[in-house]
Amino acid sequence: VAVKDPTAVERANLLNMAKLSIKGLIESALSFGRTLDSDYPPLQQFFVVMEHCLKHGLKVRKSFLSYNKTIWGPLELVEKLYPEAEEIAASVRDLPGLKTPLGRARAWLRLALMQKKMADYLRCLIIQRDLLSEFYEYHALMMEEEGAVIVGLLVGLNVIDANLCVKGEDLDSQVGVIDFSVYLKSDDDIGGKERDVQIAAILDQKNYVEELNRQLNSTVSSLHARVDSLEKSNTKLIEELAIAKNNIIKLQEENHQLRSENTLILMKTQHHLEATKVDVEAELQTYKHSRQGLDEMYSEARRQLREESQLRQDMENELVVQVSMKHEIELAMKLLEKDIHEKQDTLIGLRQQLDEVKAINVEMYQKLQVSEDAMKEKSEIISRLEDKTNQINATMKQLEQRLQQAEKAQMEAEAEDEKLKQEYVNKSESLQKEFSQKEKQLLQLETDLKIEKEWRQTLEDDLQKEKETVSHLRIETQEIIDLKKEFLKLQEKNKQLKRICEDQEAALQELASKLSESKLKIEDIKEANKALQGQVWLKDKEATHCKLCEKEFSLSKRKHHCRNCGEIFCNACSDNELPLPSSPRPVRVCDSCHAILIQRCSSNVP
């Protein structure tokens, strides 16, 4: 034998109990009068069954002191999912007599029943199963299909009006025990099926009328909302139209100002361009002349530079020649020094010879006494030697003079060399100065050219800016034209919306007139029904003649029946007419009782 799941059995039992309690509550409420208070036993049993259904599979939460298992947690979650439930939750929290979460949950169920929104609140809670999984186990009744079935059953409780006092009731200490004796069938229940069918038909009619009334109220509210929105949109459009008109006037003024400024700017730019053209032509001519002069100066400077470079080259060649001559003079001086040294050696040798000659002369003088012949010979030798010494002295003097002349020539060559160096340095400095001056003149001319180019560039930039301003003004004028077109489109839209609003107002007026006519017709029908109660219509066969003129009825003489006295008259006799606000034309009145006459057709139905 297959073992059934105990949680499934519990869910099925709770579902059956919920069905029985909801059915019994609706039936007893319809028989009782449909306005219930808190002491009504089926209502108390319903709340007990709902507590058991909500407690099924509830997770145990650990608190600071003990374990907590209450249904207030998931019910408190409803206000986050359904904004209209915030009022119930706030009023439950503000109740002074409630201390436990279970009492708050019981108060919440009672307030939801009084609002007739218990099914809506629990339906929002069942949809969010991921949030319910924090409070319930996976096999709980609220997590399975049985919860959705119970929510669907709770919709039927909207036919019940409950008037419950929650403030003074002790909801914390109530014991939730289901009384099964209430749901057992009896013989009296079997015999009341026809009455239940009649009650169900009446309830269906009542629900249909309430639903129709609700739909009519919703349509009227939607029409009012649409009318309000159309009025607001119309006022906004009127304001926007006024703003747009003001903006268009401002834009036209700005356009006029911009056009005048544009014309002034164009005139100024034309004059400026003409002046700049003349200045540019003059500057170009001056630049050409200055360029020719600069070219001539540059060619002259190049020619002078070439001449100076040629002179420099010549001076360098002369300097090289002078340096070579200096080297030759130095070599000659060295050769002269060597000759002088050699002559000094010869002089030293001659002096030595002279000394020897003197010694010989002394010896010869000593020997002179010996012999005069020898003296004569010796004197002759001495004279010869003296001649030789004189010659040597003359040569020495000549050599000394030549040495002095060589030294003077060396000094003069050095002085001339220094003078040539100084002249070369002076000429190089003057050439460098002239070259630097030429470079400065070139730099000045280049700067002048740059300034002229920059001036020309600025003029071109100014022209480009003027062109940009002209294009910008053209774009602004095009934008103003586009704004005019948009303004015309908005005017057309405003006219269309005004027409739609007028049509809707006419439609509302027609609906109101039709509703008033239907209400008046219903009242007339009610009055006619009241007047016809207790009266008996005559048959057409029996009513053949008029009561007043006793003439036979025909197509020209139609039958008119009095509501009050039941007499039948023809249209010729019933000439009394009375205007009524409910009918577009006056009605005929009885001559005897002044009641409204009704024209009869071929059958017995008025």
Side-chain angles (χ1 to χ4, degrees):
V1 179
V3 179
K4 292 184 178 181
D5 188 6
T7 56
V9 174
E10 289 176 0
R11 290 197 301 271
N13 292 332
L14 287 171
L15 179 61
N16 292 325
M17 286 305 301
K19 287 179 180 179
L20 290 171
S21 63
I22 291 168
K23 182 180 178 182
L25 181 61
I26 291 170
E27 291 177 354
S28 61
L30 291 173
S31 62
F32 185 72
R34 288 185 294 168
T35 302
L36 309 177
D37 53 2
S38 57
D39 295 332
Y40 194 59
L43 187 60
Q44 293 177 357
Q45 289 297 312
F46 166 71
F47 287 127
V48 172
V49 172
M50 286 303 298
E51 277 185 40
H52 283 282
C53 292
L54 292 171
K55 284 181 181 179
H56 184 261
L58 194 66
K59 288 182 180 179
V60 178
R61 287 180 172 269
K62 291 182 180 180
S63 63
F64 184 69
L65 297 173
S66 63
Y67 292 96
N68 189 10
K69 186 176 181 181
T70 179
I71 60 175
W72 173 241
L75 294 179
E76 195 176 10
L77 187 65
V78 176
E79 62 177 332
K80 297 178 181 178
L81 303 173
Y82 202 86
E84 293 182 3
E86 293 178 357
E87 185 179 356
I88 296 177
S91 60
V92 167
R93 292 190 191 96
D94 294 337
L95 286 173
L98 299 178
K99 298 178 181 179
T100 61
L102 183 61
R104 295 190 187 95
R106 288 170 177 170
W108 189 90
L109 289 172
R110 283 158 174 76
L111 291 174
L113 182 65
M114 282 193 288
Q115 279 191 347
K116 295 183 181 182
K117 290 185 179 180
M118 186 185 291
D120 296 333
Y121 295 156
L122 293 179
R123 182 175 58 81
C124 292
L125 190 63
I126 285 169
I127 291 170
Q128 303 293 330
R129 295 196 177 181
D130 53 347
L131 298 176
L132 278 179
S133 60
E134 297 178 2
F135 299 98
Y136 289 101
E137 301 289 343
Y138 69 94
H139 57 78
L141 184 137
M142 297 297 289
M143 299 290 288
E144 297 292 336
E145 294 179 356
E146 286 83 355
V149 175
I150 290 172
V151 170
L153 293 171
L154 290 174
V155 178
L157 294 178
N158 293 334
V159 299
I160 297 172
D161 296 330
N163 188 8
L164 307 177
C165 183
V166 184
K167 188 174 182 181
E169 192 173 358
D170 188 10
L171 299 175
D172 295 328
S173 60
Q174 286 184 0
V175 179
V177 179
I178 300 173
D179 188 8
F180 293 99
S181 63
V182 179
Y183 306 108
L184 296 176
K185 289 185 178 181
S186 61
D187 296 332
D188 296 332
D189 294 333
I190 297 169
K193 288 183 179 179
E194 295 179 356
R195 184 173 56 83
D196 294 338
V197 170
Q198 293 177 357
I199 291 169
I202 292 167
L203 286 173
D204 291 336
Q205 291 178 359
K206 187 249 187 186
N207 291 329
Y208 174 73
V209 172
E210 287 181 352
E211 187 67 26
L212 186 61
N213 192 10
R214 190 179 299 170
Q215 289 180 359
L216 289 171
N217 289 327
S218 64
T219 53
V220 170
S221 61
S222 64
L223 287 171
H224 282 298
R226 285 180 66 186
V227 169
D228 294 334
S229 64
L230 287 170
E231 287 178 354
K232 289 179 181 178
S233 63
N234 193 7
T235 53
K236 287 180 180 179
L237 286 171
I238 290 167
E239 292 175 357
E240 290 176 356
L241 184 62
I243 293 166
K245 284 182 179 178
N246 294 325
N247 292 326
I248 286 166
I249 292 165
K250 290 179 181 177
L251 288 170
Q252 287 177 353
E253 292 176 355
E254 291 178 357
N255 189 8
H256 184 66
Q257 291 178 0
L258 289 171
R259 284 181 178 176
S260 61
E261 290 177 359
N262 190 6
T263 54
L264 292 172
I265 289 165
L266 286 171
M267 293 291 288
K268 288 180 181 178
T269 51
Q270 287 176 358
H271 291 299
H272 189 65
L273 284 171
E274 290 175 356
T276 50
K277 282 180 181 178
V278 173
D279 293 334
V280 166
E281 289 176 357
E283 291 293 330
L284 284 171
Q285 290 177 359
T286 54
Y287 175 69
K288 287 178 181 179
H289 293 298
S290 63
R291 184 66 179 270
Q292 291 176 359
L294 287 171
D295 291 333
E296 292 175 357
M297 288 173 69
Y298 184 67
S299 61
E300 185 69 24
R302 287 183 69 184
R303 187 177 62 77
Q304 289 178 2
L305 184 62
R306 286 175 184 173
E307 291 177 356
E308 294 294 333
S309 62
Q310 188 67 33
L311 289 171
R312 186 177 180 181
Q313 189 69 31
D314 296 335
M315 291 297 292
E316 286 179 354
N317 293 326
E318 289 177 359
L319 184 63
V320 170
V321 171
Q322 291 292 329
V323 170
S324 63
M325 289 173 68
K326 185 179 179 181
H327 286 298
E328 289 176 357
I329 291 165
E330 286 178 353
L331 289 172
M333 288 295 292
K334 286 179 181 179
L335 292 172
L336 287 170
E337 284 177 357
K338 285 181 181 180
D339 292 335
I340 289 165
H341 285 300
E342 288 177 356
K343 287 178 180 179
Q344 283 179 357
D345 292 333
T346 56
L347 283 171
I348 289 165
L350 289 170
R351 282 177 183 176
Q352 288 176 358
Q353 288 178 3
L354 190 74
D355 290 333
E356 288 176 354
V357 170
K358 283 180 178 180
I360 292 166
N361 284 326
V362 170
E363 288 178 357
M364 288 300 288
Y365 184 73
Q366 288 176 358
K367 291 177 178 180
L368 182 61
Q369 293 177 359
V370 177
S371 71
E372 286 180 357
D373 294 332
M375 268 300 283
K376 288 179 180 179
E377 291 178 357
K378 288 183 181 178
S379 60
E380 289 176 359
I381 292 167
I382 289 168
S383 62
R384 290 176 183 175
L385 289 172
E386 284 180 357
D387 292 331
K388 286 183 179 179
T389 52
N390 289 325
Q391 289 178 359
I392 290 166
N393 288 322
T395 54
M396 285 290 292
K397 285 181 181 179
Q398 289 177 359
L399 289 172
E400 286 179 357
Q401 288 176 359
R402 287 178 67 182
L403 180 63
Q404 289 177 0
Q405 288 177 0
E407 288 178 355
K408 286 180 181 179
Q410 186 180 1
M411 291 292 288
E412 287 176 357
E414 288 179 355
E416 288 178 357
D417 192 9
E418 287 179 357
K419 286 180 181 179
L420 289 172
K421 284 183 180 178
Q422 189 67 31
E423 288 177 357
Y424 176 72
V425 169
N426 291 326
K427 286 182 179 180
S428 63
E429 287 178 355
S430 63
L431 289 171
Q432 286 179 356
K433 286 179 181 178
E434 289 178 357
F435 186 72
S436 62
Q437 288 177 359
K438 300 296 182 184
E439 286 182 349
K440 287 180 181 178
Q441 288 178 359
L442 287 172
L443 290 171
Q444 185 67 29
L445 291 171
E446 287 177 355
T447 52
D448 293 334
L449 286 172
K450 286 181 181 178
I451 289 165
E452 288 176 357
K453 287 180 180 179
E454 289 177 355
W455 188 33
R456 188 174 181 180
Q457 188 66 33
T458 53
L459 290 173
E460 289 178 355
D461 293 334
D462 292 333
L463 285 172
Q464 189 66 30
K465 286 180 181 178
E466 294 296 331
K467 288 179 181 178
E468 288 178 356
T469 52
V470 170
S471 62
H472 185 65
L473 289 170
R474 287 177 181 173
I475 292 164
E476 286 182 352
T477 52
Q478 188 64 33
E479 289 179 354
I480 289 164
I481 292 165
D482 295 334
L483 284 171
K484 284 182 179 179
K485 291 180 180 178
E486 291 179 358
F487 177 68
L488 293 172
K489 289 180 181 178
L490 287 172
Q491 283 183 348
E492 290 178 358
K493 287 183 180 179
N494 189 8
K495 290 179 181 177
Q496 291 177 359
L497 290 171
K498 283 182 178 179
R499 290 173 185 172
I500 292 166
C501 184
E502 289 175 358
D503 294 336
Q504 289 178 354
E505 287 178 355
L508 288 172
Q509 289 178 1
E510 289 177 359
L511 286 172
S513 63
K514 287 180 180 179
L515 286 172
S516 62
E517 287 176 0
S518 61
K519 286 182 180 179
L520 292 171
K521 285 179 181 179
I522 290 166
E523 290 178 358
D524 293 336
I525 291 166
K526 288 180 180 179
E527 290 178 359
N529 288 328
K530 288 180 181 179
L532 290 172
Q533 286 180 1
Q535 300 293 330
V536 179
W537 288 88
L538 290 175
K539 294 180 181 181
D540 288 334
K541 293 180 181 180
E542 295 179 358
T544 57
H545 293 81
C546 178
K547 290 291 184 180
L548 292 177
C549 63
E550 295 182 358
K551 292 181 180 180
E552 189 176 359
F553 293 113
S554 63
L555 292 173
S556 60
K557 291 186 178 183
R558 294 182 297 276
K559 296 178 182 181
H560 289 81
H561 188 277
C562 181
R563 294 181 178 182
N564 191 13
C565 60
E567 296 293 337
I568 297 172
F569 304 97
C570 63
N571 56 354
C573 296
S574 56
D575 292 332
N576 294 326
E577 292 182 350
L578 183 66
L580 286 178
S582 60
S583 62
R585 60 184 181 179
V587 297
R588 298 181 183 275
V589 183
C590 182
D591 293 330
S592 58
C593 62
H594 298 286
I596 296 171
L597 297 178
I598 299 171
Q599 185 179 354
R600 296 188 61 176
C601 58
S602 59
S603 63
N604 291 327
V605 180

